[in-house]
Amino acid sequence: MHRTIFTTPVVNTLLRGFSVVFLRLTGWRVEGSLPANTPKSVLIAAPHTSNWDLPYTLMVAFVLRLTPYWMGKSSIFKAPFGGVMRWLGGIAVDRSQSNNLVAASADAIRAADFSLQLIVPPEGTRSQTRYWKTGFYYIAHSARVPIVMAYMDYATKRSGLGPVFLPTGDIEADMLRIKRFYAPFKGKNASQFESTD
């Protein structure tokens, strides 16, 4: 994995301070923490309904002292902003090609010799969608790391880390439990998020 804003000395400290102050002044409450015995994990990012989710997610990550990486469509990594997006922790995903993103992501997590959290929005898009993509589940299961249920609730201005979930391999049962946790949360564009089938 490449160096990011979260692993750059001095910059990390300054932006954490800014994030703490900004979120407090705008009424957001950051909750939870990453368990000490969970250096590597897949973070569900839900609900994901707005471009505003990215800056808020980055600020919450600073407050919680995470080392996050996130996946985004390849078009946002083109010049002149590609380098900035990668520095923000972005990993380009080419949705037009059929490549084994799950296997590559799981391999990268296993190979990393440092703490990291891979953030994956289950909707796969900011647009309205009824069905969640299951890539986050298979990445965690294949890499043998837990899923951390991260959330952002615009209705109550709460964001943070919820329960740690260990995939059992029974994806239907596990997805029902995961979606049940997300049912109360509202995205910025709440009508675009559905946590149940």
Side-chain angles (χ1 to χ4, degrees):
M1 297 282 189
H2 52 274
R3 176 182 284 275
T4 73
I5 196 169
F6 298 95
T7 57
T8 304
V10 182
V11 172
N12 177 300
T13 302
L14 291 173
L15 288 178
R16 182 175 189 275
F18 168 81
S19 299
V20 168
V21 171
F22 179 87
L23 292 171
R24 188 174 296 154
L25 289 176
T26 54
W28 280 84
R29 187 166 75 248
V30 179
E31 304 169 331
S33 62
L34 195 67
N37 61 346
T38 312
K40 299 180 185 179
S41 59
V42 171
L43 267 62
I44 298 175
H48 178 43
T49 64
S50 166
N51 284 329
W52 283 105
D53 295 343
L54 177 57
Y56 277 115
T57 296
L58 296 177
M59 286 188 284
V60 170
F62 275 118
V63 173
L64 294 174
R65 300 183 188 277
L66 304 181
T67 314
Y69 291 83
W70 50 273
M71 293 184 283
K73 58 184 179 182
S74 56
S75 61
I76 68 173
F77 290 87
K78 293 179 180 177
F81 302 113
V84 173
M85 290 298 180
R86 280 183 281 277
W87 191 53
L88 293 175
I91 300 168
V93 176
D94 186 351
R95 294 178 182 166
S96 67
Q97 295 185 7
S98 176
N99 48 24
N100 200 337
L101 182 63
V102 168
S105 299
D107 288 345
I109 291 173
R110 282 194 298 266
D113 58 359
F114 53 89
S115 174
L116 72 89
Q117 299 79 45
L118 181 63
I119 300 174
V120 185
E123 301 101 323
T125 176
R126 294 183 316 277
S127 304
Q128 184 170 14
T129 180
R130 182 169 176 77
Y131 300 103
W132 281 17
K133 296 182 183 299
T134 54
F136 75 89
Y137 182 91
Y138 288 112
I139 291 169
H141 190 256
S142 179
R144 295 184 176 86
V145 298
I147 294 168
V148 178
M149 295 195 274
Y151 57 90
M152 187 167 293
D153 187 11
Y154 283 83
T156 61
K157 288 194 170 183
R158 294 165 51 230
S159 184
L161 302 180
V164 173
F165 186 88
L166 295 173
T168 67
D170 184 346
I171 188 167
E172 289 188 16
D174 286 353
M175 288 295 286
L176 284 174
R177 291 175 61 194
I178 291 168
K179 288 183 176 185
R180 198 173 299 127
F181 171 78
Y182 282 97
F185 300 123
K186 304 295 182 189
K188 186 169 180 61
N189 300 309
S191 63
Q192 294 176 194
F193 176 72
E194 257 187 89
S195 64
T196 56
D197 289 340

